[in-house]
Amino acid sequence: MTTSNPSLSSPIGVFDSGYGGLTILHGIRQLLPEYDYLYLGDNARAPYGPRSFDVVYEFTRQAVRYLFDQGCPLVILGCNTASAKALRTIQQHDLPQWDASRRVLGIIRPTAEVIGTLTQTRHVGVLATEGTIKSQSYNLEIQKLWPDIVVSGVACPFWVPLVEYHEADSPGADYFVKKRIDQLMRQDSAIDAVILGCTHYPLLMSKIVKYMPRGVQIVTQGEYVGGSLQDYLQRHPDMEQRLSRGATARYLTTENPDTFREQAQLFLHEQVCVESVTLGNTLTV
């Protein structure tokens, strides 16, 4: 993978607590390949899902500031938990103090914007981490835009480890995937569209399709985030003009770069060059 010199580029930053945001980056690059990108995974402190709002906010704040310092005028929180627990505070409190000309965007709203066009019954399900479900972020965003839609959600605490421990295709994964889908459909049998509200979950797609009732649409985020970003840049030419176009991608991690490189192949199906960085205190809190 070609790398760019951060001092000479203004890349789009993409942040995630771990690896799942690579599915978001992949979707964006499929649609907008011409820009430079800088991906940062806070793998040393992942997962964010079970953490408190205050901790997720502080960790996300550190990551955004780091990406700004690397020259990113625009940062995408490619993490549902960070989008749910930290985005609003960073936008309203931190950006005005740091640099009001920069932007931080999340990945929950783009999915909420399109979901109304994907459901016929107006009953929608969300499968996500505990933190995202408890935050009610999908419910709030969807009902702002589509007040007639009924939203039900179920937390899937074992799904991320299944992916990261290379068990997504194992027979044992069937139990955990089927259990949560059945739980969701028991909550509301009228659901006809289900949002995968965690960026790891597309790697469980074969199991999800196997156990999802026939006729229920499975909604992944990558393609919609890319389209939403493309629309955003068209509506904000001042930001679009600030972004460098070298068609490059750099990858940073707070963990061992060899581990990141191995895991990244699951999500990107290609070899990547990875650098290790430090964000504040990377010890688990």
Side-chain angles (χ1 to χ4, degrees):
M1 177 67 65
T2 303
T3 61
S4 62
N5 184 337
S7 66
L8 300 178
S9 67
S10 298
I12 296 171
V14 179
F15 168 69
D16 186 21
S17 59
Y19 306 102
L22 293 168
T23 62
I24 298 298
L25 175 61
H26 178 73
I28 293 172
R29 293 190 74 202
Q30 291 290 104
L31 191 61
L32 301 168
E34 67 271 25
Y35 298 103
D36 292 313
Y37 295 90
L38 181 58
Y39 183 91
L40 172 58
D42 190 12
N43 307 88
R45 303 188 292 198
Y48 280 16
R51 296 187 183 276
S52 70
F53 274 77
D54 288 344
V55 170
V56 171
Y57 162 63
E58 181 55 32
F59 286 0
T60 305
R61 183 178 181 273
Q62 291 172 6
V64 170
R65 186 61 186 261
Y66 186 92
L67 289 168
F68 281 174
D69 289 345
Q70 298 303 300
C72 299
L74 172 66
V75 172
I76 310 295
L77 300 186
C79 172
N80 284 275
T81 303
S83 295
K85 294 184 174 182
L87 175 63
R88 186 176 299 276
T89 305
I90 289 173
Q91 288 176 332
Q92 295 180 351
H93 176 74
D94 296 304
L95 276 182
Q97 298 182 32
W98 291 344
D99 184 345
S101 73
R102 302 199 189 203
R103 293 291 179 267
V104 181
L105 305 176
I107 59 173
I108 292 176
R109 188 172 180 87
T111 313
E113 288 174 343
V114 301
I115 196 65
T117 67
L118 303 176
T119 172
Q120 299 298 316
T121 65
R122 317 310 283 173
H123 289 250
V124 168
V126 179
L127 297 170
T129 65
E130 180 182 1
T132 299
I133 294 298
K134 283 185 174 180
S135 74
Q136 295 282 299
S137 294
Y138 274 99
N139 305 56
L140 294 170
E141 288 294 334
I142 291 171
Q143 288 171 356
K144 281 181 197 172
L145 300 165
W146 311 97
D148 62 317
I149 290 180
V150 176
V151 182
S152 302
V154 165
C156 308
F158 294 104
W159 286 22
V160 168
L162 285 171
V163 171
E164 296 199 350
Y165 286 97
H166 302 264
E167 297 291 333
D169 295 320
S170 70
D174 289 67
Y175 170 80
F176 294 105
V177 172
K178 182 178 188 300
K179 178 179 181 180
R180 298 308 178 186
I181 291 174
D182 289 350
Q183 182 181 347
L184 179 65
M185 299 311 296
R186 283 197 301 270
Q187 281 191 28
D188 186 352
S189 61
I191 288 171
D192 71 344
V194 173
I195 297 169
L196 301 186
C198 174
T199 51
H200 281 68
Y201 295 177
L203 274 75
L204 289 162
M205 186 61 77
S206 63
K207 304 290 189 187
I208 294 169
V209 169
K210 181 178 179 180
Y211 294 110
M212 192 69 69
R214 183 173 298 178
V216 176
Q217 183 166 351
I218 302 167
V219 182
T220 59
Q221 296 174 295
E223 59 183 304
Y224 299 112
V225 173
S228 179
L229 177 58
Q230 183 179 51
D231 177 68
Y232 177 86
L233 294 177
Q234 289 172 349
R235 291 184 290 106
H236 297 84
D238 53 330
M239 175 60 71
E240 198 275 338
Q241 291 166 13
R242 294 173 65 182
L243 301 173
S244 55
R245 296 168 182 76
T248 66
R250 296 175 60 229
Y251 299 88
L252 309 177
T253 178
T254 57
E255 230 329 338
N256 185 304
D258 292 332
T259 302
F260 184 96
R261 191 177 300 110
E262 178 184 344
Q263 292 285 354
Q265 291 184 55
L266 285 173
F267 294 86
L268 299 176
H269 306 293
E270 63 176 293
Q271 292 278 351
V272 299
C273 296
V274 187
E275 304 164 45
S276 181
V277 300
T278 300
L279 299 178
N281 178 6
T282 56
L283 295 176
T284 301
V285 174

